Amino acid sequence: MKPDVKRFDVNILDIEESTRETDRAMAAKAPARDQVDEMLDVWAREIPGLDRLTEGIIERIQILAWNFNQVLDETLVEYDLDRREFHLLGKLRKYGPPYRTSAGRLAADLRLSSGAMTNRLDRMERAGLIRRLPDPHDRRGTIVEPTDLGLSMWDKTVGASARREAAATGVLSDDARERLHDLLRDLMVAFPDWRQKKHAQPVVELDE
């Protein structure tokens, strides 16, 4: 039995038209101009030759980054974690099951001194988030692993934060989000060594 090519083509057209209608509906919700545009008007007046479009892109990215950071901060408060605990638990999860590693490797990956690492582990162990075990390969070493509570707290925090981020990006259609994701990936080409520079930045070791 041959596939109904005509019906298939019609279905594709229906999907494409539905996507365009969704994008138009989303665009209708957004104001034609906002406070960023008003600010750009001022700077375009005061700075001859200003690339208004570029400045608008950068300003909006910075505003969005600040707001998404606020979303995470609010979620961490809700689940009684701070960023240092959250990052350490996340690093353990990144290693994969059974989510354990040496304290030395953990300190190196988090770019912490041994003193800062010890203080952080002390605090998290008292909170019941991690446990320390003897390293079977190093008599002076320590293995760090999350407790069931630590795993649960990290899962709940990540889940709640992801839902809030999804709600924020939900103002865009699925197709618009795909396009935005692709555009941001393209823009990141301007900073090919961003990961190395990020890891080279000094860490403020508040644990010490």
Side-chain angles (χ1 to χ4, degrees):
M1 180 178 179
K2 294 183 179 180
D4 190 338
V5 176
K6 183 178 294 185
R7 179 177 298 176
F8 183 69
D9 289 342
V10 170
N11 287 341
I12 290 178
L13 291 174
D14 287 343
I15 292 171
E16 291 177 346
E17 179 58 29
S18 176
T19 299
R20 285 193 291 270
E21 288 178 358
T22 301
D23 286 350
R24 287 194 291 268
M26 292 297 178
K29 294 181 181 179
R33 285 175 55 84
D34 59 15
Q35 291 178 334
V36 174
D37 293 303
E38 294 172 2
M39 179 198 68
L40 291 171
D41 288 342
V42 173
W43 292 123
R45 182 193 70 211
E46 298 297 322
I47 308 173
L50 177 75
D51 186 338
R52 180 192 179 99
L53 185 57
T54 295
E55 294 305 315
I57 291 169
I58 302 307
E59 184 68 19
R60 293 182 189 283
I61 288 174
Q62 291 175 339
I63 290 171
L64 289 169
W66 185 88
N67 278 280
F68 281 119
N69 267 315
Q70 286 295 108
V71 167
L72 178 57
D73 283 340
E74 291 166 6
T75 307
L76 289 171
V77 169
E78 180 180 339
Y79 288 94
D80 199 26
L81 284 178
D82 65 29
R83 279 184 180 260
R84 292 167 294 176
E85 295 165 342
F86 180 73
H87 287 155
L88 190 146
L89 290 169
K91 187 65 70 174
L92 289 173
R93 288 297 292 268
K94 183 179 178 181
Y95 297 141
Y99 311 119
R100 62 172 62 152
T101 192
S102 68
R105 179 189 178 191
L106 195 56
D109 287 350
L110 291 170
R111 293 178 294 136
L112 294 173
S113 69
S114 59
M117 185 80 261
T118 297
N119 289 340
R120 187 173 302 187
L121 293 176
D122 285 344
R123 188 179 67 252
M124 292 182 67
E125 192 168 39
R126 288 194 298 269
L129 299 173
I130 59 100
R131 67 173 62 89
R132 283 181 280 197
L133 307 169
D135 188 336
H137 306 293
D138 183 352
R139 289 186 299 174
R140 296 179 297 176
T142 301
I143 297 295
V144 181
E145 67 177 14
T147 61
D148 289 343
L149 174 63
L151 290 173
S152 174
M153 294 283 282
W154 191 83
D155 283 343
K156 290 178 180 178
T157 303
V158 170
S161 183
R163 287 190 294 273
R164 288 166 178 167
E165 291 163 355
T169 60
V171 301
L172 302 175
S173 68
D174 289 345
D175 187 57
R177 287 195 296 172
E178 286 283 356
R179 295 200 304 271
L180 177 60
H181 187 247
D182 290 342
L183 288 170
L184 291 173
R185 184 191 301 110
D186 292 344
L187 183 57
M188 288 176 68
V189 172
F191 304 97
D193 56 348
W194 67 269
R195 184 179 294 274
Q196 290 86 345
K197 288 183 177 180
K198 180 180 178 182
H199 289 311
Q201 290 178 343
V203 174
V204 178
E205 298 181 343
L206 299 177
D207 298 271
E208 292 187 323

